[in-house]
Amino acid sequence: MSAVLVLVLLLLVGSNARQVEPYVPSGAADGAPVAAPNGVPNDAPGGATGESVGAPVGAATSAPSPIPVPPPAPVSPSPNVTAATAPPIPQTATGSGPPPMTTPPSMVVTEPEDVEPSPCVHVGEEHCPPPGELCRCKLIPGTATVICCDVTTQLQLKESLNCQGLVGVNITALHARNITLHSLDVGVLHLTKLHLPQLESLAITDGHITELKGLLDAKNLACLNLSSNSLIDVSENTSAYLHSLTNLDLSGNDLKHVLTLHADVPQFELDISGNNNLSCDSIKELMKYMKNLQFSHDNNTYCLNPSSFHWFNSTEKVPLASVVLLNKLEQECPRGETEPCICKAVRLDMVPGKPPTFSVQVDCSNRRLTKLPLILPKNTVSLNVSYNNISNLEALSMNAAYKDIREFYADDNQITSINALEGSTFIVSFLTLSLRNNNISILPTYILSNVFDLNWTARTVRLGLNHLKCDCSTAQTIKMWLNANYKHIPDYNEVLCENMRERVFELDQNKVCTVPSDWTEYVYYLVAAEVLLLILLISKVSYDYWVFKTAGYLPWPASKMPKLPCDWVFES
């Protein structure tokens, strides 16, 4: 009876052993060694030790039994588990290599399907070698990644990278943590047994390094992480051969200038956050030749305010977003015939919840322009096109790029009329309109009168050195209009006459408003003379008739007049 009970107990133990599902990585070759959880190797058959394959560490083992225990049923790999691939490990002299190891859970990074995986490898400090070990570098199990920790000299770094456990392994990622050196020469990596051309990720983080120098010849390096080291300077030739670099992390340092980059890649990601002394000029210079540059943590990135950023008089730091906007502003700035115009931000408007907005000033003066620029940067509020050959102002009223213009300067051009401004958005909202020394000969005052009638003293119009056609109407209307609006027209006394050497505001109506003499004004004199002669003639005839009746003769000159053929009628 006791034998039967023992047999039943043994069968129950075997059944429970079969119910424990081992951890088998997906895609592993049949018959290959399988790593247990937590990195515990299973280099012996389960039957030899009494442990089930993949059983948790610390699980009870079955005691030896004279009755054979059936082997566990085959287990299908789980479709949700991804195998961690490890590089080939050279065999030892006995023909058996070190046991295979899986990737630790902290090293597994799951990327979204539609996002390209990052080339950067970052290893947590929990994977560092124990403090007592002489070799400060070790290979992360199941990967091609090496981590080095707590290095204090370059010699120690070199010797640690030449440790026996790293020889013969094709390392693609290296992470050095907590290096304490005043100056680190990355050229020391060339003196190790690392095959640098295969290196894809290099991280030197969380240390105390003041200067980084040396040439880093790693043509396949895609990620360089130098964050959190208190770096003040990085040598320019460090990145001279990093043509495949796509990610550079310089955050958490004390750099003054951005590292010069030579990468030729479709997209480059740069993190320069946490550098409190970084120059804005160096960032702008970098953006000029790297059109595909993208910044990480740009909301926490600031740079020092150089003197050219004069609108930041009351602050020491400029947000990176503002520098990016300035770079875009320079790219959108119009060009003249010989050189580009000058675009400057004159005011920064920061509204909570919205990106910062610059008000832009564009200077296209003396650029040999024959017409107004077709394209202007967004939010352009001031445009100067003086000293060119522009002849009309149609773009100012018809081009949507001019909708924000508040100040317009077009002195010393060939402009002949302001009629194009009638009914435009500009004429309603402008603050300054300067058209000095152009070819304006007729000034339709009604276009500007409606604006001046609003009694907004901030509006200014400059029309000096234009030559108007002066006549009586000019003296009666334009002169009075200029005098009445002298607050809006500072140079009202410089508007000249085209057909006389006079200033408009000095015109005398008594001189200008005279009508030229012609023959019609003599008609009245002729009529008066004829009436007078008629009166004299009638008087003479009346007198002669009276003398003839009273004295019987005709006075002179009637007595001397020859007889006419009709006189016989009167004699008879």
Side-chain angles (χ1 to χ4, degrees):
M1 187 66 169
S2 60
V4 174
L5 291 176
V6 172
L7 180 60
V8 171
L9 289 175
L10 290 176
L11 289 175
L12 289 175
V13 172
S15 176
N16 290 335
R18 286 193 300 269
Q19 291 176 1
V20 178
E21 182 178 354
Y23 172 81
V24 180
S26 175
D30 293 337
V34 180
N38 301 325
V40 179
N42 291 326
D43 52 353
T49 59
E51 289 187 11
S52 300
V53 176
V57 176
T61 59
S62 58
S65 171
I67 303 177
V69 179
V75 179
S76 300
S78 174
N80 297 325
V81 179
T82 303
T85 58
I89 300 177
Q91 298 293 322
T92 60
T94 59
S96 62
M101 293 167 285
T102 59
T103 303
S106 60
M107 290 289 296
V108 178
V109 179
T110 304
E111 296 285 348
E113 295 182 358
D114 56 344
V115 178
E116 185 178 352
S118 172
C120 301
V121 176
H122 188 277
V123 185
E125 61 180 347
E126 65 272 13
H127 299 283
C128 289
E133 286 193 8
L134 181 62
C135 184
R136 303 309 307 152
C137 298
K138 78 170 186 177
L139 179 68
I140 301 297
T143 70
T145 300
V146 171
I147 182 171
C148 302
C149 301
D150 305 319
V151 175
T152 56
T153 65
Q154 291 192 155
L155 179 61
Q156 185 183 22
L157 177 62
K158 173 186 173 183
E159 293 178 348
S160 296
L161 287 173
N162 287 328
C163 289
Q164 183 65 28
L166 306 180
V167 176
V169 180
N170 295 324
I171 297 173
T172 60
L174 172 62
H175 188 174
R177 302 179 61 96
N178 194 23
I179 294 182
T180 304
L181 284 173
H182 174 74
S183 177
L184 174 62
D185 188 350
V186 292
V188 71
L189 300 178
H190 295 276
L191 303 178
T192 66
K193 295 182 180 180
L194 288 175
H195 188 49
L196 288 184
Q198 283 189 331
L199 199 64
E200 298 175 0
S201 175
L202 174 61
I204 304 175
T205 67
D206 306 292
H208 301 278
I209 306 171
T210 303
E211 178 187 17
L212 190 72
K213 61 182 181 179
L215 184 64
L216 187 60
D217 187 5
K219 62 180 181 180
N220 290 324
L221 189 67
C223 177
L224 178 60
N225 186 351
L226 302 176
S227 62
S228 303
N229 285 298
S230 302
L231 281 169
I232 296 179
D233 182 48
V234 178
S235 175
E236 294 293 336
N237 63 351
T238 299
S239 61
Y241 293 98
L242 304 182
H243 300 295
S244 299
L245 196 66
T246 60
N247 293 70
L248 176 61
D249 190 346
L250 298 173
S251 62
N253 289 292
D254 198 20
L255 297 173
K256 296 182 179 179
H257 301 279
V258 180
L259 181 65
T260 302
L261 303 175
H262 304 274
D264 184 14
V265 292
Q267 181 174 328
F268 193 95
E269 187 171 343
L270 176 65
D271 189 349
I272 51 176
S273 60
N275 288 273
N276 296 325
N277 294 316
L278 197 60
S279 168
C280 293
D281 285 336
S282 66
I283 300 177
K284 290 180 62 180
E285 190 66 27
L286 180 64
M287 290 189 291
K288 284 182 179 179
Y289 67 87
M290 291 201 70
K291 306 299 182 182
N292 54 355
L293 187 62
Q294 292 188 356
F295 292 94
S296 301
H297 304 102
D298 52 346
N299 293 333
N300 297 322
T301 304
Y302 299 85
C303 58
L304 286 185
N305 171 24
S307 58
S308 59
F309 291 0
H310 54 81
W311 62 94
F312 283 106
N313 292 331
S314 60
T315 184
E316 295 181 356
K317 296 181 179 180
V318 180
L320 176 63
S322 301
V323 181
V324 174
L325 284 177
L326 287 177
N327 180 67
K328 184 179 179 182
L329 168 64
E330 293 182 358
Q331 294 177 357
E332 295 177 350
C333 198
R335 291 188 59 89
E337 183 177 336
T338 57
E339 56 183 321
C341 301
I342 300 174
C343 296
K344 296 181 179 179
V346 294
R347 187 178 70 248
L348 176 63
D349 299 326
M350 302 188 70
V351 179
K354 295 183 178 181
T357 302
F358 283 104
S359 295
V360 181
Q361 181 185 72
V362 179
D363 185 1
C364 291
S365 60
N366 199 19
R367 295 298 192 277
R368 299 183 182 179
L369 298 176
T370 57
K371 58 182 180 180
L372 292 175
L374 297 178
I375 301 176
L376 292 175
K378 190 177 180 181
N379 299 320
T380 298
V381 297
S382 178
L383 174 62
N384 186 356
V385 290
S386 301
Y387 305 101
N388 286 293
N389 295 312
I390 298 170
S391 58
N392 66 79
L393 302 174
E394 292 182 358
L396 194 58
S397 59
M398 300 177 62
N399 193 333
Y402 289 74
K403 64 182 179 65
D404 296 320
I405 295 291
R406 298 294 179 268
E407 299 178 357
F408 182 74
Y409 303 87
D411 303 338
D412 295 274
N413 279 279
Q414 306 298 323
I415 299 170
T416 58
S417 174
I418 65 170
N419 290 336
L421 301 181
E422 183 178 0
S424 65
T425 303
F426 171 79
I427 204 65
V428 176
S429 58
F430 82 95
L431 295 177
T432 301
L433 172 62
S434 184
L435 300 174
R436 290 175 55 85
N437 198 21
N438 278 279
N439 295 332
I440 300 175
S441 58
I442 299 177
L443 185 61
T445 58
Y446 67 91
I447 295 179
L448 297 172
S449 294
N450 295 334
V451 179
F452 293 160
D453 290 344
L454 298 177
N455 295 323
W456 192 3
T457 57
R459 298 184 189 274
T460 302
V461 178
R462 290 181 172 87
L463 299 170
L465 303 182
N466 281 285
H467 293 74
L468 306 183
K469 292 181 180 180
C470 293
D471 52 21
C472 185
S473 175
T474 306
Q476 292 175 345
T477 59
I478 296 182
K479 173 187 175 180
M480 297 179 62
W481 180 80
L482 289 174
N483 290 333
N485 295 286
Y486 69 92
K487 292 183 178 180
H488 300 285
I489 309 174
D491 57 353
Y492 74 100
N493 58 345
E494 298 182 33
V495 182
L496 308 176
C497 291
E498 179 184 27
N499 51 341
M500 59 183 68
R501 298 176 63 87
E502 293 285 345
R503 299 182 181 184
V504 173
F505 90 104
E506 293 177 343
L507 287 177
D508 187 355
Q509 295 187 34
N510 295 328
K511 295 181 179 180
V512 179
C513 298
T514 56
V515 181
S517 300
D518 55 19
W519 66 272
T520 57
E521 65 183 15
Y522 298 105
V523 172
Y524 303 103
Y525 297 104
L526 292 174
V527 172
E530 290 176 352
V531 171
L532 180 61
L533 288 175
L534 180 61
I535 293 174
L536 291 175
L537 180 59
I538 293 174
S539 300
K540 176 61 176 173
V541 171
S542 300
Y543 174 76
D544 288 350
Y545 179 75
W546 179 78
V547 171
F548 178 75
K549 288 295 185 179
T550 57
Y553 69 93
L554 291 173
W556 186 90
S559 61
K560 302 298 182 181
M561 294 178 63
K563 290 184 178 182
L564 298 175
C566 61
D567 287 343
W568 61 271
V569 177
F570 295 99
E571 290 179 354
S572 59

